[in-house]
């Protein structure tokens, strides 16, 4: 009898401990946004790839699809797809993508933040999606990168995505 109660007690305590240790989606989103902000301000990634006159940094592990062009660059990492959209008509201080995000009433923003550095505007956002996925968005000026991912990948993906959009150099020399 004592063993049975001891087993039940240990089982309940283990479940409580596991529940207490797992981070919520909101907590993971905040950590990811902070990581994206750090990547934005660090801005230490030099371009490693060039596609149709657009130079950018490609993190290790991301593969560039052959279907990519100067305005839509598709990356893959495992089963995840990342899309980098580049609007060549927008300047580095453009808030177009941010304004579009805020105007979309269908998007449930979990966490978002904006960043500035001289005449450069950027933002990162975590948006609720269906199933157990979230949409991640990073943007600097006229460059925006998005992906759908699970909450465990938020921090790593937002960091890499911000490194990419922050590194974009178009033919005219701007971001």
């Amino acid at each position: 009898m004592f063993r049975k109660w001891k087993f039940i007690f240990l089982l309940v305590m283990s479940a409580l401990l596991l529940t207490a240790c797992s981070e919520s989606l909101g907590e993971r989103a905040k950590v990811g946004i902070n990581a994206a902000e750090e990547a934005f301000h660090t801005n230490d990634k030099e371009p490693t790839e060039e596609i149709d006159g657009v130079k950018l940094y490609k993190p290790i592990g991301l593969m560039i699809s052959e279907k990519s062009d100067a305005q839509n660059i598709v990356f893959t990492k495992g089963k995840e797809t990342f899309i980098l959209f580049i609007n060549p008509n927008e300047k580095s201080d453009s808030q177009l993508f941010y304004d579009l995000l805020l105007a979309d009433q269908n998007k449930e923003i979990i966490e978002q933040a904006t960043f500035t550095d001289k005449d450069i505007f950027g933002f990162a956002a975590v948006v609720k999606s269906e199933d157990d996925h979230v949409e991640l968005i990073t943007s600097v000026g006229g460059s925006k990168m998005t992906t759908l991912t699970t909450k465990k990948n938020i921090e790593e993906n937002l960091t890499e995505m911000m490194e990419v959009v922050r590194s974009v150099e178009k033919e005219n020399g701007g971001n």
Side-chain angles (χ1 to χ4, degrees):
M1 185 74 157
F2 178 71
R3 281 187 172 168
K4 184 177 180 181
W5 284 106
K6 187 177 177 182
F7 175 75
I8 292 172
F9 175 75
L10 288 174
L11 186 65
V12 169
M13 292 305 292
S14 296
L16 288 173
L17 184 62
L18 286 173
T19 303
C21 291
S22 66
E23 289 181 294
S24 71
L25 177 57
E27 291 167 336
R28 286 188 182 248
K30 283 182 184 180
V31 169
I33 295 295
N34 289 339
E37 180 178 17
E38 185 176 326
F40 176 86
H41 288 295
T42 303
N43 187 28
D44 64 349
K45 301 299 180 187
E46 295 293 323
T48 56
E49 300 287 328
E50 183 171 350
I51 298 164
D52 294 341
V54 174
K55 295 178 183 176
L56 56 91
Y57 167 73
K58 182 188 79 63
I60 295 172
L62 285 178
M63 305 300 292
I64 297 176
S65 169
E66 293 178 13
K67 300 175 186 174
S68 299
D69 60 39
Q71 292 181 332
N72 296 292
I73 301 172
V74 179
F75 297 86
T76 57
K77 179 170 76 171
K79 295 180 181 178
E80 294 180 313
T81 300
F82 300 77
I83 300 171
L84 174 61
F85 176 73
I86 301 170
N87 184 336
N89 300 317
E90 296 298 317
K91 295 188 173 49
S92 62
D93 63 350
S94 172
Q95 295 187 25
L96 173 68
F97 293 125
Y98 183 67
D99 293 340
L100 291 172
L101 171 67
L102 296 180
D104 190 342
Q105 299 294 319
N106 296 321
K107 296 217 184 254
E108 182 183 335
I109 300 171
I110 297 166
E111 192 74 32
Q112 60 88 21
T114 61
F115 324 113
T116 57
D117 181 21
K118 299 176 188 156
D119 63 343
I120 299 171
F121 175 82
F123 78 92
V126 178
V127 178
K128 190 169 178 75
S129 188
E130 50 233 27
D131 302 326
D132 286 332
H133 288 83
V134 290
E135 178 184 8
L136 305 181
I137 305 167
T138 59
S139 178
V140 172
S143 301
K144 177 179 91 166
M145 193 169 197
T146 64
T147 192
L148 289 177
T149 192
T150 58
K151 76 177 188 177
K152 71 177 184 171
N153 296 328
I154 291 173
E155 181 179 1
E156 178 184 351
N157 286 349
L158 279 175
T159 300
E160 290 178 344
M161 292 165 62
M162 184 57 76
E163 290 171 347
V164 171
V165 295
R166 189 72 160 105
S167 73
V168 171
E169 295 176 5
K170 296 176 269 192
E171 282 184 331
N172 63 5
N175 298 43

